[in-house]
Amino acid sequence: MLRYMTAGESHGKGIVVILDGMPSGLMLEEKFINTELTRRMFGYGRGGRMGIEKDRVEIIGGVRKGNTIGSPVGMLIVNRDHKIDKLPDVTSPRPGHADLAGLQKYNLKDARDVLERASARETAGRVAAGAVAKLILREFDIKILSHVIKIGSVEARAGGLTFEKVLELTDESVSKVRCADKEAEKLMCEEIDKAKKDGDTLGGVFEVMAVGLPPGLGTYAQWDRRLDANLARALMSVPAVKAVEIGDGIECAGRKGSRAHDAIQYNSGEKRFTRASNNAGGTEGGVTNGEPLILKGYMKPIATLGDPLASVDINTKEESSAARERSDVTAVAAAGVVGEAVTALELASAFLEKFGGDSIEEIKRNYEGYLEQVRKI
Ligand code: EPS
């Protein structure tokens, strides 16, 4: 099992993450982790902060001569914009942010103390940890990507594309918001421009796909080990995500069973069971079924508005506009990368739980044995 935890404030010294339960013998490519951190900063509509930071990881534990040694991996991402003690007080909480509930909960007088930790900056730590999880999964040919399927009112017509096709179409060197539908992407950018001009913000929907998964991760045997539940929790923990969908879960709720479930077939050449469709999104009974994992995260608009909503000053109790902070107009593309990271962490954890996890070599042996067993069914 993999466990992780982060600490650090948005404008503090940095974000730190500890990843416990790491197997030995994994080459921890710092360059790959940094590429993932850069991907999180990407996306049209991101704010000024992304022009200041150049997120880089410093590995501070768990690695010797480039390889993991079985101890917890510790990583630090230093904040360039370290100014937490000089920032002004925030006394008009922003609707939609943790400001007001945080003030009440922690008995604070300045919402700065809340927002510094509630900020999505913390997700840089999770992306670093997720990159390590991706490196574990890569050893077993499991790959993960994300793409944007909606920003504001603009929806992509990209359903049914393969993993490889989405990867090609969302290449970050040409894409603006990691959307596979180029026509929709153009409209998304126009909507972002308009929202910015109006002092407003946008939400949207990202999809995370994982391919190469074996059947049998997670279990129906106990509620808290159902993989679909754990994936939903992980995605829901990404700031601003208000709903999660697995496969075509929402649409399937209104279909007949005969149109919702995925007929079973057998490929005798590859000695494996396949499906005629993938409405289930890769899990049945809380267990992976060997089909691509398809998850969607529904993100509300960023809570910091250029033209703020009404709020109340917590000192005077008088009406005052909500606080304005430098922020993003939208961050759906970035949330997709965080979605990839938390998905990778859940999958790697379930993988280590199933195949025993003290060294990569041991896991490979166990994995091969399991695949052989599955082929005999
Ligand atoms: C973020 C850093 C923040 C915001 C954003 C995410 O930078 P700053 O607050 O210095 O402008 O861009 O935070 C939020 C959306 C939020 O609600 O707090 C980051 O690194 O992802």
Side-chain angles (χ1 to χ4, degrees):
M1 192 178 105
L2 271 185
R3 297 186 298 163
Y4 62 102
M5 245 186 210
T6 67
E9 277 68 40
S10 181
H11 303 94
K13 279 191 178 171
I15 306 291
V16 66
V17 59
I18 292 178
L19 196 50
D20 186 43
M22 281 296 295
S24 70
L26 178 76
M27 212 221 298
L28 213 66
E29 277 173 54
E30 209 169 297
K31 196 166 157 238
F32 178 75
I33 302 171
N34 287 334
T35 303
E36 290 294 288
L37 289 174
T38 304
R39 291 182 64 230
R40 193 197 71 94
M41 300 174 73
F42 163 89
Y44 195 72
R46 290 283 261 156
R49 180 74 181 272
M50 295 303 107
I52 300 171
E53 300 298 338
K54 199 168 184 336
D55 290 343
R56 287 284 170 273
V57 77
E58 198 181 320
I59 297 171
I60 51 176
V63 175
R64 184 160 179 256
K65 297 180 182 171
N67 286 304
T68 57
I69 53 174
S71 40
V73 166
M75 294 180 286
L76 171 70
I77 300 144
V78 170
N79 287 331
R80 286 190 172 185
D81 206 17
H82 172 202
K83 56 182 182 192
I84 191 165
D85 291 336
K86 299 193 190 94
L87 287 165
D89 288 6
V90 173
T91 55
S92 294
R94 293 162 296 170
H97 218 286
D99 298 352
L100 181 58
L103 285 171
Q104 292 167 320
K105 178 175 171 65
Y106 291 102
N107 191 24
L108 298 166
K109 300 275 174 286
D110 175 6
R112 173 78 49 202
D113 294 337
V114 177
L115 70 89
E116 281 292 328
R117 178 63 186 162
S119 165
R121 175 98 194 117
E122 176 267 347
T123 61
R126 288 200 255 171
V127 167
V132 176
K134 278 189 178 183
L135 287 173
I136 298 174
L137 296 169
R138 203 172 69 177
E139 293 288 320
F140 304 91
D141 292 325
I142 297 166
K143 290 181 253 165
I144 301 174
L145 62 67
S146 67
H147 61 119
V148 168
I149 56 177
K150 190 171 181 182
I151 290 185
S153 65
V154 185
E155 205 156 346
R157 287 171 288 110
L161 290 178
T162 61
F163 185 94
E164 282 68 27
K165 196 72 192 161
V166 175
L167 200 59
E168 179 197 318
L169 289 170
T170 57
D171 177 351
E172 285 147 32
S173 59
V174 291
S175 182
K176 294 228 162 157
V177 289
R178 199 175 298 106
C179 178
D181 177 345
K182 294 300 140 194
E183 197 55 43
E185 183 163 84
K186 206 168 140 261
L187 298 174
M188 285 172 182
C189 292
E190 284 170 19
E191 192 149 321
I192 294 168
D193 286 337
K194 178 154 190 332
K196 185 172 184 178
K197 204 162 132 262
D198 296 344
D200 222 322
T201 58
L202 297 170
V205 185
F206 61 84
E207 185 169 80
V208 176
M209 291 167 106
V211 292
L213 290 163
L217 298 183
T219 177
Y220 48 82
Q222 200 55 264
W223 68 271
D224 60 349
R225 288 161 62 211
R226 293 182 83 103
L227 187 71
D228 51 357
N230 289 334
L231 287 164
R233 181 177 78 146
L235 278 183
M236 204 70 167
S237 77
V238 176
V241 169
K242 295 293 275 184
V244 176
E245 183 181 11
I246 303 186
D248 286 340
I250 293 171
E251 245 195 80
C252 281
R255 285 189 204 157
K256 289 191 174 131
S258 55
R259 298 242 4 262
H261 301 297
D262 309 305
I264 299 175
Q265 301 167 331
Y266 188 68
N267 181 329
S268 46
E270 292 176 21
K271 286 195 178 155
R272 72 183 185 94
F273 294 94
T274 58
R275 300 305 177 106
S277 53
N278 187 19
N279 298 328
T283 71
E284 285 167 308
V287 185
T288 54
N289 62 6
E291 295 299 307
L293 182 71
I294 313 282
L295 309 167
K296 287 190 193 77
Y298 291 74
M299 191 182 187
K300 68 182 177 183
I302 301 284
T304 311
L305 306 184
D307 184 10
L309 283 174
S311 182
V312 173
D313 186 292
I314 54 159
N315 295 321
T316 64
K317 308 292 183 291
E318 275 168 19
E319 193 184 318
S320 89
S321 317
R324 277 176 64 172
E325 288 268 314
R326 174 186 63 199
S327 192
D328 313 302
V329 176
T330 192
V332 187
V337 176
V338 183
E340 290 176 38
V342 296
T343 300
L345 285 156
E346 285 309 316
L347 292 176
S349 186
F351 200 90
L352 296 185
E353 188 185 324
K354 172 128 186 69
F355 301 111
D358 292 330
S359 72
I360 292 291
E361 209 182 306
E362 181 188 4
I363 305 166
K364 281 196 173 159
R365 230 173 21 236
N366 296 343
Y367 189 50
E368 282 310 316
Y370 174 73
L371 292 183
E372 208 181 303
Q373 172 195 304
V374 166
R375 277 194 291 269
K376 282 187 191 149
I377 289 176

